[in-house]
Amino acid sequence: MATQILIIVFAPLIAALIAGLGNRMIGNVAAKGVTTAGLFLAAGLSWPIFLGFLSGTATAEVVPVLKWVQSGSLTFDWALRVDTLTAIMLVVINSVSALVHLYSWGYMEEDPDQPRFFAYLSLFTFAMLMLVTADNLVQMFFGWEGVGLASYLLIGFWFKKPSAGAAAIKAFVVNRVGDLGFMLGIFGTFLVFQTTSIPEILAAAPAMSGSTITFVGMRLYTMDILCILLFIGAMGKSAQLGLHTWLPDAMEGPTPVSALIHAATMVTAGVFMLCRLSPMFETAPTALTIVTIVGAATCFFAATIGTTQWDIKRVIAYSTCSQLGYMFFAAGVGAYGAAMFHLFTHAFFKALLFLGAGSVIHAMHHEQDMRYYGGLRKHIPLTFWAMMAGTLAITGVGILGVFGFAGFYSKDAILEAAYARHNGAGQFAFWAGAITALLTSFYSWRLMFLTFWGKPRWEQSEHIQHAVHDDHGHGHEDHHHAPSDGTAGYHPHESPVSMLLPLGILSLGAVLAGFVFHHEFIDGAAFWNGSIFYNEDLIHAMHGVPLWVKLSATIVMVLGFAGAYLAYIAKPDIPAMFVASFGALHNFVYRKWYFDELYDVLFVKPAFAFGRAFWQLGDVGTIDRFGPNGVASVIQRSSLAAKSIQSGYLYTYALIMLLGLVAAVTYVLL
């Protein structure tokens, strides 16, 4: 298995280097081919490893790469750890990334910088693989920062677009806040355990339960402080409430980037880290309570915003933020298997929804506002059915004990675990999660109804009409054909095969991933084999919850569907009436609870004020005054004066020499 692991991890890096350094010298097709082939190779090798752990034939293994650091008591190697938890992440990351690479062949076909784009995608994948195969915290931090760098490059890929550059900077800066907490957590963990080796830390963690440490002048529980600091890092990477503001703005990047970031890579890093360090978090009850409350609050908060947005990608982005909240409060109540199960199923249906949205945007000449869609199921039927599969999965459609789509199993397991925890934080998480399930169903079906049902509203879009007349350089032959429904000037078109094939494969995952794997993820203590903390008592309690708890997610899902159908199909004037009656509430939610405005007042404007002050007092008032405008100016004027006496006439030099001689003699005599 060692050779397989090395190929899986380093194939994307080699492909990224070839595409990035070769760039236009090797051409678009070669760059796309080598990166896509590298990812399909990695994905093809990842599935046998995962299935080996699933069947019980594979065992955990550590593959050494090289000696890395030896400095006093700090010693660690670069090694790749593969166990059940890693195997799941390898399948998720490489499968979704491979399909995103293939999808990008069609989506980015007309972009002039395709080699750079595909190199960034593969680099992103390599950084995430480094993170999930880490055997020590420093190596994990290397991958952690690597995905941060790659996200900056991908979000700001269209760097000539000011909003893309601003979004990239925002993602980078907000993540630095979380990463400060993560770094402090790593430093503190090394201080306490005298090692960065993850297995050694997890083995020693139970003995540290109840111990205290001095932190900011107070005596606090050691493990709570360490785990809270580590969780702050997870909040930044996984966009939890407070450090979430970068995630919606990340939509400025190309749609395949959104799918990769939201489904399989960056935002899942925080959840993975918590599950990897779950034995450590189990010794920190206060930290787990904070994780539960923050996760549940994020879950509800993001879902409310998703009900008001018009940009199809932003709706799905806030959906990601909300679903991550489910994963975190599952980990907070101790159901790490359920958290990873939802991460697994979410990767398929969220990648499907993002890529499906990209197909809709492609069909609608890059229009992203759902108010200018409508009636598209007749024009792009394959995209419609793919989006339908993703919607059924995220809303958790299923029949208890018979069959369900992916989210039916993973989301229900999380709600049952929260209820079974029987503490205040768990009950809060259960009710927040149940209400969120209702909102999820509402905004998901709202998206479907606005996009695929109703009358076409394309003629209202200035973007599309402008594109119809000048064709924007995209060159689709059918742009000028009048559609059969009478809408003048534009006919939506289905995406190419390179975009539809990934949608078909991901649809299978959205339909079957939960049904096929739910027993192993939830009840499979042997499957996890010590790679996470597995709470047998909680699992038994989950199965024993009342029937109404088991049915709650299905009930609220139906209510959400009914509400969306009533508001957007049966009586489409209801949304306008609601906004007219509850304008302040709607504006509060639509403006994302004013987090951006609040941060602008608290952090952005003061930071700019400090910058201007240092610029005026420091650069201009000190450096420039005593530098270019001070000492340097005196030297410049002296040089000009000295130059003026360099006339080139012999008698001038003789006079100066004579005056110098007289001055010297006078000095000696006196």
Side-chain angles (χ1 to χ4, degrees):
M1 189 166 70
T3 304
Q4 286 177 271
I5 299 302
L6 291 172
I7 294 173
I8 288 170
V9 172
F10 290 105
L13 175 63
I14 294 170
L17 291 174
I18 294 172
L21 298 177
N23 206 281
R24 297 180 185 179
M25 182 175 64
I26 64 174
N28 291 343
V29 175
K32 294 189 292 187
V34 70
T35 51
T36 306
L39 263 299
F40 271 96
L41 174 63
L45 294 174
S46 298
W47 276 96
I49 294 174
F50 170 71
L51 295 175
F53 282 102
L54 196 68
S55 63
T57 58
T59 56
E61 185 173 341
V62 178
V63 180
V65 178
L66 51 82
K67 294 286 184 182
W68 198 0
V69 171
Q70 289 182 324
S71 176
S73 61
L74 179 61
T75 302
F76 52 86
D77 299 334
W78 188 357
L80 308 177
R81 168 168 291 276
V82 180
D83 54 16
T84 304
L85 186 63
T86 306
I88 293 168
M89 295 303 295
L90 292 179
V91 163
V92 167
I93 295 165
N94 288 318
S95 298
V96 173
S97 184
L99 293 173
V100 167
H101 275 71
L102 178 59
Y103 179 93
S104 300
W105 278 64
Y107 194 87
M108 301 296 290
E109 183 180 7
E110 293 155 11
D111 195 280
D113 288 329
Q114 293 177 57
R116 180 167 63 90
F117 179 77
F118 279 83
Y120 287 170
L121 284 183
S122 293
L123 179 64
F124 199 160
T125 308
F126 166 72
M128 193 65 191
L129 292 173
M130 285 301 305
L131 192 158
V132 301
T133 57
D135 190 46
N136 60 75
L137 291 177
V138 179
Q139 186 178 330
M140 181 181 285
F141 186 72
F142 173 79
W144 194 272
E145 292 303 297
V147 294
L149 168 65
S151 69
Y152 171 80
L153 297 173
L154 284 168
I155 294 169
F157 175 75
W158 288 319
F159 56 86
K160 294 181 180 179
K161 184 181 177 185
S163 58
I169 292 171
K170 186 175 183 180
F172 197 79
V173 171
V174 172
N175 272 275
R176 297 291 72 70
V177 177
D179 291 352
L180 175 61
F182 191 51
M183 285 189 289
L184 291 174
I186 293 174
F187 294 154
T189 302
F190 176 72
L191 177 67
V192 171
F193 294 99
Q194 292 299 301
T195 181
T196 61
S197 170
I198 292 174
E200 293 178 16
I201 292 168
L202 299 184
M208 295 301 297
S209 180
S211 66
T212 60
I213 191 173
T214 301
F215 183 74
V216 293
M218 296 180 288
R219 200 72 185 171
L220 302 170
Y221 286 110
T222 304
M223 298 309 294
D224 279 326
I225 294 301
L226 296 181
C227 290
I228 289 170
L229 289 172
L230 293 170
F231 174 59
I232 291 171
M235 287 177 65
K237 274 291 178 287
S238 298
Q240 293 301 281
L241 185 63
L243 296 178
H244 68 280
T245 53
W246 67 270
L247 192 63
D249 290 14
M251 297 303 99
E252 291 292 339
T255 298
V257 172
S258 304
L260 191 58
I261 290 177
H262 286 243
T265 52
M266 185 169 171
V267 297
T268 61
V271 180
F272 167 81
M273 185 267 287
L274 252 69
C275 293
R276 170 61 81 202
L277 302 179
S278 53
M280 185 175 173
F281 275 82
E282 282 296 310
T283 65
T286 302
L288 284 179
T289 300
I290 292 173
V291 172
T292 304
I293 293 173
V294 171
T298 304
C299 191
F300 171 76
F301 155 80
T304 62
I305 300 174
T307 62
T308 63
Q309 300 300 301
W310 295 111
D311 186 313
I312 188 171
K313 287 175 66 176
R314 283 184 179 269
V315 173
I316 304 173
Y318 278 108
S319 170
T320 298
C321 194
S322 181
Q323 299 303 309
L324 288 165
Y326 275 112
M327 300 174 208
F328 273 104
F329 81 67
V333 300
Y336 301 101
M340 286 303 300
F341 187 30
H342 198 53
L343 186 155
F344 181 78
T345 59
H346 176 263
F348 292 105
F349 63 69
K350 186 51 57 71
L352 175 60
L353 288 171
F354 262 117
L355 297 184
S359 185
V360 172
I361 294 166
H362 184 267
M364 297 304 293
H365 234 311
H366 302 278
E367 176 63 74
Q368 296 181 198
D369 194 324
M370 296 185 296
R371 287 172 289 191
Y372 304 126
Y373 290 170
L376 288 176
R377 71 185 190 279
K378 300 176 182 178
H379 301 282
I380 48 173
L382 298 178
T383 299
F384 163 70
W385 284 111
M387 291 285 284
M388 177 63 77
T391 302
L392 294 173
I394 193 174
T395 56
V397 173
I399 300 174
L400 190 65
V402 180
F403 176 79
F405 292 83
F408 174 77
Y409 295 98
S410 57
K411 190 186 296 183
D412 284 22
I414 289 173
L415 292 176
E416 291 166 14
Y419 183 87
R421 193 62 176 173
H422 295 305
N423 59 21
Q427 294 304 302
F428 170 72
F430 170 76
W431 288 108
I435 296 170
T436 300
L438 187 152
L439 295 174
T440 301
S441 179
F442 177 83
Y443 68 65
S444 297
W445 288 110
R446 171 180 178 263
L447 183 153
M448 292 295 290
F449 292 147
L450 284 171
T451 303
F452 295 106
W453 272 271
K455 295 181 179 179
R457 300 179 295 277
W458 318 322
E459 69 278 5
Q460 301 171 18
S461 171
E462 294 181 5
H463 182 185
I464 290 179
Q465 294 310 312
H466 178 65
V468 167
H469 287 95
D470 67 9
D471 201 27
H472 273 209
H474 295 290
H476 295 295
E477 294 177 358
D478 57 354
H479 284 173
H480 299 284
H481 296 175
S484 57
D485 56 19
T487 302
Y490 184 69
H491 181 70
H493 53 91
E494 191 61 274
S495 299
V497 175
S498 62
M499 294 173 65
L500 293 176
L501 183 59
L503 293 182
I505 297 172
L506 289 168
S507 296
L508 292 176
V511 174
L512 298 174
F515 178 75
V516 173
F517 298 112
H518 70 279
H519 285 302
E520 287 75 14
F521 275 85
I522 303 302
D523 300 314
F527 168 65
W528 290 110
N529 195 26
S531 61
I532 61 171
F533 181 87
Y534 189 82
N535 191 331
E536 292 275 7
D537 294 335
L538 180 63
I539 300 303
H540 289 308
M542 285 170 57
H543 294 313
V545 298
L547 181 61
W548 71 267
V549 174
K550 294 179 180 291
L551 294 175
S552 60
T554 300
I555 293 170
V556 296
M557 177 270 296
V558 173
L559 291 175
F561 169 80
Y565 180 83
L566 181 66
Y568 294 97
I569 298 295
K571 296 183 178 180
D573 57 337
I574 287 180
M577 293 169 57
F578 178 87
V579 172
S581 302
F582 302 97
L585 175 62
H586 176 270
N587 197 49
F588 176 74
V589 177
Y590 179 73
R591 297 295 296 271
K592 300 162 284 190
W593 292 31
Y594 291 105
F595 266 95
D596 282 323
E597 290 82 355
L598 178 64
Y599 285 178
D600 188 57
V601 172
L602 293 179
F603 303 115
V604 177
K605 288 181 178 176
F608 275 103
F610 273 116
R612 284 192 296 269
F614 282 117
W615 168 47
Q616 292 292 341
L617 297 176
D619 283 1
V620 177
T622 303
I623 297 173
D624 288 352
R625 180 182 177 187
F626 296 104
N629 300 332
V631 176
S633 180
V634 171
I635 294 172
Q636 184 183 24
R637 290 196 296 270
S638 302
S639 300
L640 289 172
K643 185 175 73 171
S644 65
I645 66 174
Q646 301 295 319
S647 65
Y649 294 111
L650 182 59
Y651 59 81
T652 303
Y653 297 146
L655 176 62
I656 293 172
M657 291 172 62
L658 180 60
L659 291 174
L661 181 60
V662 171
V665 171
T666 304
Y667 175 78
V668 172
L669 292 176
L670 296 178

